[in-house]
PDB file of all heavy atoms in Angstrom:
ATOM      1  N   TYR A 135       7.293  -4.841  19.280  1.00 98.00           N
ATOM      2  CA  TYR A 135       6.182  -3.921  19.490  1.00 98.00           C
ATOM      3  C   TYR A 135       6.300  -2.738  18.516  1.00 98.00           C
ATOM      4  O   TYR A 135       7.413  -2.422  18.067  1.00 98.00           O
ATOM      5  CB  TYR A 135       6.168  -3.455  20.951  1.00 98.00           C
ATOM      6  CG  TYR A 135       5.717  -4.557  21.877  1.00 98.00           C
ATOM      7  CD1 TYR A 135       6.630  -5.473  22.384  1.00 98.00           C
ATOM      8  CD2 TYR A 135       4.358  -4.710  22.176  1.00 98.00           C
ATOM      9  CE1 TYR A 135       6.209  -6.526  23.191  1.00 98.00           C
ATOM     10  CE2 TYR A 135       3.930  -5.762  22.986  1.00 98.00           C
ATOM     11  CZ  TYR A 135       4.858  -6.666  23.493  1.00 98.00           C
ATOM     12  OH  TYR A 135       4.429  -7.700  24.273  1.00 98.00           O
ATOM     13  N   PRO A 136       5.177  -2.101  18.190  1.00 98.00           N
ATOM     14  CA  PRO A 136       5.216  -1.012  17.209  1.00 98.00           C
ATOM     15  C   PRO A 136       6.275   0.059  17.487  1.00 98.00           C
ATOM     16  O   PRO A 136       6.924   0.551  16.561  1.00 98.00           O
ATOM     17  CB  PRO A 136       3.803  -0.420  17.291  1.00 98.00           C
ATOM     18  CG  PRO A 136       2.944  -1.593  17.673  1.00 98.00           C
ATOM     19  CD  PRO A 136       3.800  -2.417  18.603  1.00 98.00           C
ATOM     20  N   SER A 137       6.474   0.404  18.767  1.00 97.00           N
ATOM     21  CA  SER A 137       7.436   1.471  19.091  1.00 97.00           C
ATOM     22  C   SER A 137       8.868   1.095  18.719  1.00 97.00           C
ATOM     23  O   SER A 137       9.737   1.954  18.640  1.00 97.00           O
ATOM     24  CB  SER A 137       7.362   1.802  20.581  1.00 97.00           C
ATOM     25  OG  SER A 137       7.711   0.656  21.333  1.00 97.00           O
ATOM     26  N   GLU A 138       9.111  -0.190  18.473  1.00 98.00           N
ATOM     27  CA  GLU A 138      10.458  -0.630  18.099  1.00 98.00           C
ATOM     28  C   GLU A 138      10.673  -0.590  16.589  1.00 98.00           C
ATOM     29  O   GLU A 138      11.720  -1.011  16.106  1.00 98.00           O
ATOM     30  CB  GLU A 138      10.695  -2.056  18.615  1.00 98.00           C
ATOM     31  CG  GLU A 138      10.568  -2.189  20.130  1.00 98.00           C
ATOM     32  CD  GLU A 138      10.653  -3.649  20.578  1.00 98.00           C
ATOM     33  OE1 GLU A 138      11.774  -4.135  20.769  1.00 98.00           O
ATOM     34  OE2 GLU A 138       9.589  -4.283  20.705  1.00 98.00           O
ATOM     35  N   LEU A 139       9.660  -0.148  15.854  1.00 97.00           N
ATOM     36  CA  LEU A 139       9.744  -0.136  14.387  1.00 97.00           C
ATOM     37  C   LEU A 139       9.784   1.284  13.850  1.00 97.00           C
ATOM     38  O   LEU A 139       9.243   2.202  14.470  1.00 97.00           O
ATOM     39  CB  LEU A 139       8.514  -0.846  13.798  1.00 97.00           C
ATOM     40  CG  LEU A 139       8.608  -2.356  13.569  1.00 97.00           C
ATOM     41  CD1 LEU A 139       8.868  -3.106  14.857  1.00 97.00           C
ATOM     42  CD2 LEU A 139       7.340  -2.860  12.899  1.00 97.00           C
ATOM     43  N   SER A 140      10.386   1.451  12.679  1.00 94.00           N
ATOM     44  CA  SER A 140      10.377   2.756  12.003  1.00 94.00           C
ATOM     45  C   SER A 140       8.978   3.005  11.431  1.00 94.00           C
ATOM     46  O   SER A 140       8.152   2.084  11.351  1.00 94.00           O
ATOM     47  CB  SER A 140      11.402   2.759  10.871  1.00 94.00           C
ATOM     48  OG  SER A 140      10.955   1.899   9.838  1.00 94.00           O
ATOM     49  N   GLY A 141       8.752   4.242  11.002  1.00 92.00           N
ATOM     50  CA  GLY A 141       7.453   4.597  10.406  1.00 92.00           C
ATOM     51  C   GLY A 141       7.126   3.736   9.192  1.00 92.00           C
ATOM     52  O   GLY A 141       6.001   3.276   9.027  1.00 92.00           O
ATOM     53  N   GLY A 142       8.130   3.503   8.369  1.00 92.00           N
ATOM     54  CA  GLY A 142       7.923   2.688   7.166  1.00 92.00           C
ATOM     55  C   GLY A 142       7.599   1.245   7.520  1.00 92.00           C
ATOM     56  O   GLY A 142       6.740   0.609   6.893  1.00 92.00           O
ATOM     57  N   GLU A 143       8.298   0.733   8.554  1.00 95.00           N
ATOM     58  CA  GLU A 143       8.022  -0.656   8.983  1.00 95.00           C
ATOM     59  C   GLU A 143       6.616  -0.752   9.570  1.00 95.00           C
ATOM     60  O   GLU A 143       5.892  -1.726   9.334  1.00 95.00           O
ATOM     61  CB  GLU A 143       9.057  -1.095  10.017  1.00 95.00           C
ATOM     62  CG  GLU A 143      10.426  -1.366   9.404  1.00 95.00           C
ATOM     63  CD  GLU A 143      11.502  -1.617  10.452  1.00 95.00           C
ATOM     64  OE1 GLU A 143      11.395  -1.105  11.586  1.00 95.00           O
ATOM     65  OE2 GLU A 143      12.471  -2.318  10.126  1.00 95.00           O
ATOM     66  N   GLN A 144       6.221   0.263  10.331  1.00 96.00           N
ATOM     67  CA  GLN A 144       4.869   0.249  10.909  1.00 96.00           C
ATOM     68  C   GLN A 144       3.819   0.243   9.796  1.00 96.00           C
ATOM     69  O   GLN A 144       2.803  -0.443   9.883  1.00 96.00           O
ATOM     70  CB  GLN A 144       4.660   1.472  11.802  1.00 96.00           C
ATOM     71  CG  GLN A 144       5.470   1.393  13.085  1.00 96.00           C
ATOM     72  CD  GLN A 144       5.141   2.522  14.048  1.00 96.00           C
ATOM     73  OE1 GLN A 144       4.025   3.043  14.066  1.00 96.00           O
ATOM     74  NE2 GLN A 144       6.112   2.909  14.857  1.00 96.00           N
ATOM     75  N   GLN A 145       4.110   0.987   8.736  1.00 94.00           N
ATOM     76  CA  GLN A 145       3.148   1.019   7.632  1.00 94.00           C
ATOM     77  C   GLN A 145       3.097  -0.336   6.918  1.00 94.00           C
ATOM     78  O   GLN A 145       2.050  -0.770   6.461  1.00 94.00           O
ATOM     79  CB  GLN A 145       3.508   2.170   6.673  1.00 94.00           C
ATOM     80  CG  GLN A 145       2.399   2.608   5.754  1.00 94.00           C
ATOM     81  CD  GLN A 145       1.134   3.099   6.454  1.00 94.00           C
ATOM     82  OE1 GLN A 145       0.653   2.505   7.412  1.00 94.00           O
ATOM     83  NE2 GLN A 145       0.551   4.178   5.979  1.00 94.00           N
ATOM     84  N   ARG A 146       4.224  -1.039   6.874  1.00 94.00           N
ATOM     85  CA  ARG A 146       4.227  -2.387   6.299  1.00 94.00           C
ATOM     86  C   ARG A 146       3.368  -3.331   7.141  1.00 94.00           C
ATOM     87  O   ARG A 146       2.671  -4.204   6.606  1.00 94.00           O
ATOM     88  CB  ARG A 146       5.656  -2.906   6.168  1.00 94.00           C
ATOM     89  CG  ARG A 146       6.319  -2.385   4.912  1.00 94.00           C
ATOM     90  CD  ARG A 146       7.776  -2.103   5.076  1.00 94.00           C
ATOM     91  NE  ARG A 146       8.578  -3.291   5.282  1.00 94.00           N
ATOM     92  CZ  ARG A 146       9.903  -3.260   5.499  1.00 94.00           C
ATOM     93  NH1 ARG A 146      10.540  -2.103   5.533  1.00 94.00           N
ATOM     94  NH2 ARG A 146      10.565  -4.371   5.673  1.00 94.00           N
ATOM     95  N   VAL A 147       3.393  -3.134   8.457  1.00 96.00           N
ATOM     96  CA  VAL A 147       2.526  -3.929   9.338  1.00 96.00           C
ATOM     97  C   VAL A 147       1.054  -3.614   9.023  1.00 96.00           C
ATOM     98  O   VAL A 147       0.217  -4.518   8.933  1.00 96.00           O
ATOM     99  CB  VAL A 147       2.823  -3.651  10.833  1.00 96.00           C
ATOM    100  CG1 VAL A 147       1.845  -4.419  11.727  1.00 96.00           C
ATOM    101  CG2 VAL A 147       4.263  -3.999  11.174  1.00 96.00           C
ATOM    102  N   ALA A 148       0.773  -2.335   8.824  1.00 96.00           N
ATOM    103  CA  ALA A 148      -0.616  -1.938   8.516  1.00 96.00           C
ATOM    104  C   ALA A 148      -1.084  -2.583   7.207  1.00 96.00           C
ATOM    105  O   ALA A 148      -2.253  -2.950   7.066  1.00 96.00           O
ATOM    106  CB  ALA A 148      -0.721  -0.411   8.432  1.00 96.00           C
ATOM    107  N   ILE A 149      -0.163  -2.730   6.262  1.00 94.00           N
ATOM    108  CA  ILE A 149      -0.525  -3.371   4.989  1.00 94.00           C
ATOM    109  C   ILE A 149      -0.794  -4.860   5.215  1.00 94.00           C
ATOM    110  O   ILE A 149      -1.794  -5.403   4.744  1.00 94.00           O
ATOM    111  CB  ILE A 149       0.573  -3.156   3.932  1.00 94.00           C
ATOM    112  CG1 ILE A 149       0.668  -1.672   3.596  1.00 94.00           C
ATOM    113  CG2 ILE A 149       0.283  -3.968   2.678  1.00 94.00           C
ATOM    114  CD1 ILE A 149       1.887  -1.305   2.786  1.00 94.00           C
ATOM    115  N   ALA A 150       0.075  -5.510   5.972  1.00 95.00           N
ATOM    116  CA  ALA A 150      -0.141  -6.925   6.290  1.00 95.00           C
ATOM    117  C   ALA A 150      -1.492  -7.093   6.984  1.00 95.00           C
ATOM    118  O   ALA A 150      -2.272  -7.997   6.673  1.00 95.00           O
ATOM    119  CB  ALA A 150       0.997  -7.441   7.172  1.00 95.00           C
ATOM    120  N   ARG A 151      -1.787  -6.194   7.918  1.00 96.00           N
ATOM    121  CA  ARG A 151      -3.062  -6.247   8.643  1.00 96.00           C
ATOM    122  C   ARG A 151      -4.243  -6.068   7.680  1.00 96.00           C
ATOM    123  O   ARG A 151      -5.270  -6.739   7.819  1.00 96.00           O
ATOM    124  CB  ARG A 151      -3.073  -5.134   9.712  1.00 96.00           C
ATOM    125  CG  ARG A 151      -4.345  -5.076  10.552  1.00 96.00           C
ATOM    126  CD  ARG A 151      -4.313  -3.924  11.545  1.00 96.00           C
ATOM    127  NE  ARG A 151      -4.121  -2.638  10.878  1.00 96.00           N
ATOM    128  CZ  ARG A 151      -3.887  -1.485  11.494  1.00 96.00           C
ATOM    129  NH1 ARG A 151      -3.795  -1.443  12.818  1.00 96.00           N
ATOM    130  NH2 ARG A 151      -3.731  -0.374  10.813  1.00 96.00           N
ATOM    131  N   ALA A 152      -4.083  -5.197   6.695  1.00 95.00           N
ATOM    132  CA  ALA A 152      -5.169  -4.950   5.747  1.00 95.00           C
ATOM    133  C   ALA A 152      -5.526  -6.210   4.961  1.00 95.00           C
ATOM    134  O   ALA A 152      -6.668  -6.403   4.580  1.00 95.00           O
ATOM    135  CB  ALA A 152      -4.782  -3.827   4.782  1.00 95.00           C
ATOM    136  N   PHE A 153      -4.525  -7.065   4.743  1.00 94.00           N
ATOM    137  CA  PHE A 153      -4.773  -8.242   3.904  1.00 94.00           C
ATOM    138  C   PHE A 153      -5.137  -9.501   4.695  1.00 94.00           C
ATOM    139  O   PHE A 153      -5.385 -10.546   4.106  1.00 94.00           O
ATOM    140  CB  PHE A 153      -3.560  -8.497   3.000  1.00 94.00           C
ATOM    141  CG  PHE A 153      -3.491  -7.519   1.849  1.00 94.00           C
ATOM    142  CD1 PHE A 153      -2.814  -6.321   1.974  1.00 94.00           C
ATOM    143  CD2 PHE A 153      -4.153  -7.788   0.654  1.00 94.00           C
ATOM    144  CE1 PHE A 153      -2.772  -5.403   0.930  1.00 94.00           C
ATOM    145  CE2 PHE A 153      -4.112  -6.884  -0.398  1.00 94.00           C
ATOM    146  CZ  PHE A 153      -3.419  -5.685  -0.262  1.00 94.00           C
ATOM    147  N   ILE A 154      -5.208  -9.407   6.023  1.00 95.00           N
ATOM    148  CA  ILE A 154      -5.382 -10.624   6.835  1.00 95.00           C
ATOM    149  C   ILE A 154      -6.719 -11.316   6.564  1.00 95.00           C
ATOM    150  O   ILE A 154      -6.798 -12.544   6.591  1.00 95.00           O
ATOM    151  CB  ILE A 154      -5.196 -10.336   8.349  1.00 95.00           C
ATOM    152  CG1 ILE A 154      -5.111 -11.637   9.144  1.00 95.00           C
ATOM    153  CG2 ILE A 154      -6.303  -9.463   8.915  1.00 95.00           C
ATOM    154  CD1 ILE A 154      -3.815 -12.361   9.067  1.00 95.00           C
ATOM    155  N   ASN A 155      -7.769 -10.561   6.312  1.00 93.00           N
ATOM    156  CA  ASN A 155      -9.066 -11.195   6.073  1.00 93.00           C
ATOM    157  C   ASN A 155      -9.315 -11.445   4.585  1.00 93.00           C
ATOM    158  O   ASN A 155     -10.450 -11.651   4.177  1.00 93.00           O
ATOM    159  CB  ASN A 155     -10.207 -10.353   6.669  1.00 93.00           C
ATOM    160  CG  ASN A 155     -10.351 -10.572   8.175  1.00 93.00           C
ATOM    161  OD1 ASN A 155      -9.885 -11.575   8.703  1.00 93.00           O
ATOM    162  ND2 ASN A 155     -10.982  -9.626   8.855  1.00 93.00           N
ATOM    163  N   ASP A 156      -8.235 -11.399   3.800  1.00 92.00           N
ATOM    164  CA  ASP A 156      -8.328 -11.646   2.361  1.00 92.00           C
ATOM    165  C   ASP A 156      -9.415 -10.783   1.712  1.00 92.00           C
ATOM    166  O   ASP A 156     -10.361 -11.292   1.115  1.00 92.00           O
ATOM    167  CB  ASP A 156      -8.634 -13.136   2.136  1.00 92.00           C
ATOM    168  CG  ASP A 156      -7.978 -13.615   0.859  1.00 92.00           C
ATOM    169  OD1 ASP A 156      -7.229 -12.831   0.242  1.00 92.00           O
ATOM    170  OD2 ASP A 156      -8.232 -14.759   0.464  1.00 92.00           O
ATOM    171  N   PRO A 157      -9.276  -9.461   1.833  1.00 94.00           N
ATOM    172  CA  PRO A 157     -10.337  -8.570   1.371  1.00 94.00           C
ATOM    173  C   PRO A 157     -10.463  -8.576  -0.147  1.00 94.00           C
ATOM    174  O   PRO A 157      -9.512  -8.898  -0.857  1.00 94.00           O
ATOM    175  CB  PRO A 157      -9.855  -7.187   1.834  1.00 94.00           C
ATOM    176  CG  PRO A 157      -8.365  -7.309   1.832  1.00 94.00           C
ATOM    177  CD  PRO A 157      -8.086  -8.721   2.275  1.00 94.00           C
ATOM    178  N   ALA A 158     -11.645  -8.211  -0.616  1.00 93.00           N
ATOM    179  CA  ALA A 158     -11.842  -8.066  -2.063  1.00 93.00           C
ATOM    180  C   ALA A 158     -11.307  -6.721  -2.534  1.00 93.00           C
ATOM    181  O   ALA A 158     -10.820  -6.585  -3.647  1.00 93.00           O
ATOM    182  CB  ALA A 158     -13.324  -8.189  -2.381  1.00 93.00           C
ATOM    183  N   ILE A 159     -11.431  -5.719  -1.660  1.00 96.00           N
ATOM    184  CA  ILE A 159     -11.041  -4.354  -2.032  1.00 96.00           C
ATOM    185  C   ILE A 159     -10.222  -3.726  -0.908  1.00 96.00           C
ATOM    186  O   ILE A 159     -10.634  -3.762   0.249  1.00 96.00           O
ATOM    187  CB  ILE A 159     -12.287  -3.461  -2.255  1.00 96.00           C
ATOM    188  CG1 ILE A 159     -13.224  -4.090  -3.283  1.00 96.00           C
ATOM    189  CG2 ILE A 159     -11.879  -2.058  -2.686  1.00 96.00           C
ATOM    190  CD1 ILE A 159     -14.613  -3.482  -3.262  1.00 96.00           C
ATOM    191  N   VAL A 160      -9.087  -3.165  -1.274  1.00 97.00           N
ATOM    192  CA  VAL A 160      -8.308  -2.398  -0.305  1.00 97.00           C
ATOM    193  C   VAL A 160      -8.375  -0.929  -0.693  1.00 97.00           C
ATOM    194  O   VAL A 160      -8.114  -0.562  -1.839  1.00 97.00           O
ATOM    195  CB  VAL A 160      -6.848  -2.882  -0.248  1.00 97.00           C
ATOM    196  CG1 VAL A 160      -6.005  -1.923   0.587  1.00 97.00           C
ATOM    197  CG2 VAL A 160      -6.780  -4.281   0.345  1.00 97.00           C
ATOM    198  N   LEU A 161      -8.768  -0.115   0.262  1.00 97.00           N
ATOM    199  CA  LEU A 161      -8.865   1.321   0.055  1.00 97.00           C
ATOM    200  C   LEU A 161      -7.743   1.985   0.836  1.00 97.00           C
ATOM    201  O   LEU A 161      -7.683   1.874   2.061  1.00 97.00           O
ATOM    202  CB  LEU A 161     -10.229   1.813   0.543  1.00 97.00           C
ATOM    203  CG  LEU A 161     -11.402   1.223  -0.249  1.00 97.00           C
ATOM    204  CD1 LEU A 161     -12.664   1.156   0.587  1.00 97.00           C
ATOM    205  CD2 LEU A 161     -11.634   2.032  -1.515  1.00 97.00           C
ATOM    206  N   ALA A 162      -6.838   2.620   0.119  1.00 97.00           N
ATOM    207  CA  ALA A 162      -5.667   3.208   0.765  1.00 97.00           C
ATOM    208  C   ALA A 162      -5.683   4.716   0.547  1.00 97.00           C
ATOM    209  O   ALA A 162      -5.693   5.181  -0.585  1.00 97.00           O
ATOM    210  CB  ALA A 162      -4.397   2.594   0.191  1.00 97.00           C
TER     211      ALA A 162
END
Side-chain angles (χ1 to χ4, degrees):
Y135 288 87
S137 62
E138 301 173 86
L139 271 60
S140 69
E143 287 172 332
Q144 289 187 29
Q145 199 59 316
R146 278 144 68 182
V147 176
I149 295 168
R151 180 182 57 189
F153 285 90
I154 191 77
N155 280 340
D156 213 5
I159 305 164
V160 170
L161 296 153

